[in-house]
Amino acid sequence: MKLLILSTSLSVYLLIYLTFKNFSRYADYRKYGKILVFVLMPLNSVFFAHFQAKYYPTFVAYLVFLVLMFIWFMVVFNTSATLAYFGAIHYVFYLFVMRSGVMSVYSLFVQIPIAVLKQGGYHALMIFQISAMLVVVLFVYWNKFILTTERMNYVFANPGQLRYILFNKTILGLYMMVITFGSRYTLNEIWYSSVHLITAIIVGVVAYSALQNGISVSESLEHEKQTVALQNQLSMQISHYRSYQKYTEGFREFRHDYKRMLSTINSLLRNNQFEEAIHILDEMGVTLASNEVAHKQYSNYPLLDAVFQEYANRCVENEIHFDGILYWDEAISMDELTIVRLFTNLLTNAFEAAGDSQARYITVSSNARDHWLDIVIKNSFDGNIHDDLSSTKTTTEGNRGLGTKIVSKTMESIGGVFSWDTQDQEFIAYLHIPRR
């Protein structure tokens, strides 16, 4: 019996280790989070083994461990309550549903009523150990092939779908506990074991279907966002093309007239009509200057030049001073869609913040060094900002700080570094992008 308790504790230890390890893909550990994991894993193992060895109602065990896992996630990880609850119910739910299914099959096989099996002892520990090992195998398979980090991040980025999944699992978990509690009152044990097994299967399948549906919807929304980003990219490239077209047409007209103008200037100078000649030269200078303004180059990379042209035009319309040149290295490993998303989020934040300030300006600079490209984007702002960069204002697109969070995740994905600082009423964003 002691050996069985030990092996059950080890099974639970392995399951909890896998639980924390998988959740670390979605949230960062707190300062002492990794140390707490090694403290909580044996503690949880003892709790699980104790609850199975003693006669505790299943619904009590379910609720206790759901609350405990929620607390552990909040203590170990720097995450939101919603995400912590997802982690808790995801693992506790499937463990107890698997336990219900194994208990039903075990009851039918050994011809022992479920009510007796649940009273603790050898059979309860054996059932729980089998369930824990099956859940470990199930989670390893799911996390590798189905519930991948990329797919789950789509769900976490979609609060509506995440709440839908949590609601379904919460209701199904409570329903499973009600069915399990019915073992105290049924007289036909074979009938109840069969119903218990079928219920466990249905609950598990429905919960998994809800999770898959949430992932599919979230993926579709993410693809829609990418489509919108591509449309915005195309719009900026068209705007860039029109600006360049205006630039070339101006020079075409100037080239058509400049020979005639030079001939006129030559004639005026020969006749000592210096004032008239100077007047024509001044007009030529104004024409050249207007064409230069019509297509000011902001980057050596055409795509980025198009992005900056778009925001420069917005700034002109809103009386915001926009200036700077961004050098881009072709050796940087970043696809075009990522580049557009990165800089449109930064420039959108800068544009909105500068629009609320008195100084109203945005400047961009870059510097290539060793294996890094350093980019600095400065903008004026009204001085009101939170530590997490969430704005005190809410726009039709949500919190302005969301754009900065997207930038941070994007930079992390390419091995870059993103940081920010404020000086007086100036916000400064620093990007350090690896050049490979």
Side-chain angles (χ1 to χ4, degrees):
M1 187 68 176
K2 290 182 178 180
L3 182 62
L4 184 57
I5 292 176
L6 177 62
S7 63
T8 303
S9 298
L10 291 175
S11 299
V12 176
Y13 190 93
L14 177 61
L15 176 60
I16 295 172
Y17 170 77
L18 183 66
T19 298
F20 285 120
K21 183 176 182 296
N22 288 333
F23 195 77
S24 66
R25 299 183 302 173
Y26 316 120
D28 297 326
Y29 286 103
R30 293 189 185 273
K31 187 175 181 179
Y32 301 106
K34 291 184 179 180
I35 298 175
L36 286 173
V37 167
F38 290 99
V39 175
L40 296 175
M41 286 198 311
L43 186 61
N44 268 347
S45 298
V46 172
F47 281 158
F48 270 101
H50 175 73
F51 267 78
Q52 293 309 307
K54 303 297 181 180
Y55 181 39
Y56 286 99
T58 303
F59 74 90
V60 172
Y62 178 81
L63 294 176
V64 167
F65 288 115
L66 184 60
V67 172
L68 281 178
M69 289 302 292
F70 172 75
I71 294 173
W72 297 161
F73 279 119
M74 291 295 294
V75 170
V76 172
F77 295 98
N78 185 18
T79 186
S80 65
T82 303
L83 197 56
Y85 182 62
F86 173 85
I89 198 169
H90 180 71
Y91 294 100
V92 175
F93 173 84
Y94 285 112
L95 175 61
F96 275 82
V97 170
M98 181 67 74
R99 175 179 174 273
S100 296
V102 171
M103 183 175 290
S104 300
V105 174
Y106 194 92
S107 173
L108 292 170
F109 182 76
V110 300
Q111 296 295 304
I112 298 177
I114 288 179
V116 176
L117 295 176
K118 290 168 60 179
Q119 291 179 4
Y122 172 83
H123 295 292
L125 287 172
M126 180 62 70
I127 289 170
F128 192 82
Q129 183 172 5
I130 295 172
S131 304
M133 295 307 299
L134 288 176
V135 170
V136 167
V137 173
L138 180 66
F139 283 164
V140 168
Y141 174 79
W142 276 3
N143 294 328
K144 186 174 182 179
F145 298 105
I146 300 176
L147 308 181
T148 61
T149 304
E150 182 181 8
R151 299 188 76 195
M152 292 307 299
N153 281 332
Y154 291 149
V155 177
F156 299 148
N158 190 326
Q161 288 302 311
L162 182 57
R163 286 193 295 268
Y164 168 76
I165 293 169
L166 293 179
F167 174 79
N168 273 274
K169 283 189 176 178
T170 301
I171 297 301
L172 289 171
L174 293 175
Y175 172 67
M176 188 75 245
M177 293 306 103
V178 171
I179 294 296
T180 302
F181 191 73
S183 64
R184 294 168 176 254
Y185 305 103
T186 182
L187 296 177
N188 190 332
E189 290 299 336
I190 296 178
W191 174 86
Y192 179 77
S193 296
S194 302
V195 170
H196 195 258
L197 174 61
I198 294 171
T199 302
I201 294 173
I202 292 175
V203 167
V205 169
V206 172
Y208 178 72
S209 299
L211 179 59
Q212 280 287 59
N213 178 74
I215 293 173
S216 299
V217 171
S218 299
E219 284 181 325
S220 298
L221 290 174
E222 180 65 22
H223 292 155
E224 184 179 348
K225 290 178 184 177
Q226 292 183 0
T227 301
V228 171
L230 288 172
Q231 290 175 343
N232 291 335
Q233 177 183 341
L234 178 60
S235 175
M236 286 184 288
Q237 288 176 325
I238 291 173
S239 176
H240 182 265
Y241 169 75
R242 288 174 178 171
S243 175
Y244 183 76
Q245 190 177 41
K246 181 180 178 181
Y247 171 74
T248 54
E249 285 177 357
F251 267 103
R252 191 180 296 115
E253 293 175 359
F254 178 80
R255 186 179 63 179
H256 180 267
D257 293 338
Y258 90 98
K259 289 185 178 180
R260 176 180 58 79
M261 297 172 82
L262 287 177
S263 177
T264 302
I265 291 171
N266 183 51
S267 177
L268 290 172
L269 291 175
R270 289 180 181 277
N271 294 319
N272 297 323
Q273 294 177 287
F274 300 111
E275 293 294 332
E276 289 82 352
I278 291 173
H279 179 71
I280 294 176
L281 286 172
D282 287 340
E283 289 184 346
M284 291 175 66
V286 171
T287 303
L288 282 170
S290 63
N291 277 300
E292 182 180 354
V293 172
H295 188 76
K296 182 177 179 179
Q297 188 173 7
Y298 294 97
S299 176
N300 62 315
Y301 183 35
L303 176 60
L304 276 177
D305 193 37
V307 173
F308 280 78
Q309 287 283 349
E310 171 71 16
Y311 281 90
N313 292 336
R314 292 189 194 179
C315 288
V316 170
E317 294 172 359
N318 290 272
E319 299 180 349
I320 299 173
H321 178 69
F322 188 96
D323 190 27
I325 295 178
L326 175 61
Y327 165 79
W328 190 258
D329 193 334
E330 294 182 356
I332 294 174
S333 178
M334 193 185 302
D335 61 85
E336 292 185 345
L337 183 58
T338 302
I339 293 173
V340 171
R341 294 185 68 180
L342 178 66
F343 285 98
T344 53
N345 276 292
L346 279 170
L347 292 174
T348 296
N349 281 358
F351 174 77
E352 292 177 349
D356 291 337
S357 66
Q358 294 183 348
R360 302 172 71 85
Y361 67 86
I362 301 173
T363 62
V364 182
S365 61
S366 62
N367 176 51
R369 61 177 176 86
D370 298 330
H371 301 290
W372 295 89
L373 174 63
D374 302 327
I375 300 172
V376 180
I377 300 178
K378 300 180 180 180
N379 63 267
S380 57
F381 76 110
D382 60 7
N384 297 319
I385 196 167
H386 295 166
D387 290 339
D388 62 353
L389 294 183
S390 59
S391 172
T392 55
K393 233 182 223 190
T394 300
T395 65
T396 55
E397 297 177 358
N399 286 339
R400 293 179 183 171
L402 179 61
T404 313
K405 292 176 182 177
I406 293 173
V407 170
S408 181
K409 288 185 177 180
T410 302
M411 291 295 292
E412 184 180 345
S413 68
I414 64 170
V417 179
F418 169 73
S419 60
W420 60 273
D421 192 11
T422 58
Q423 296 178 4
D424 296 328
Q425 291 189 333
E426 181 178 72
F427 182 88
I428 309 171
Y430 301 96
L431 289 86
H432 306 284
I433 302 175
R435 301 162 63 196
R436 296 188 180 90

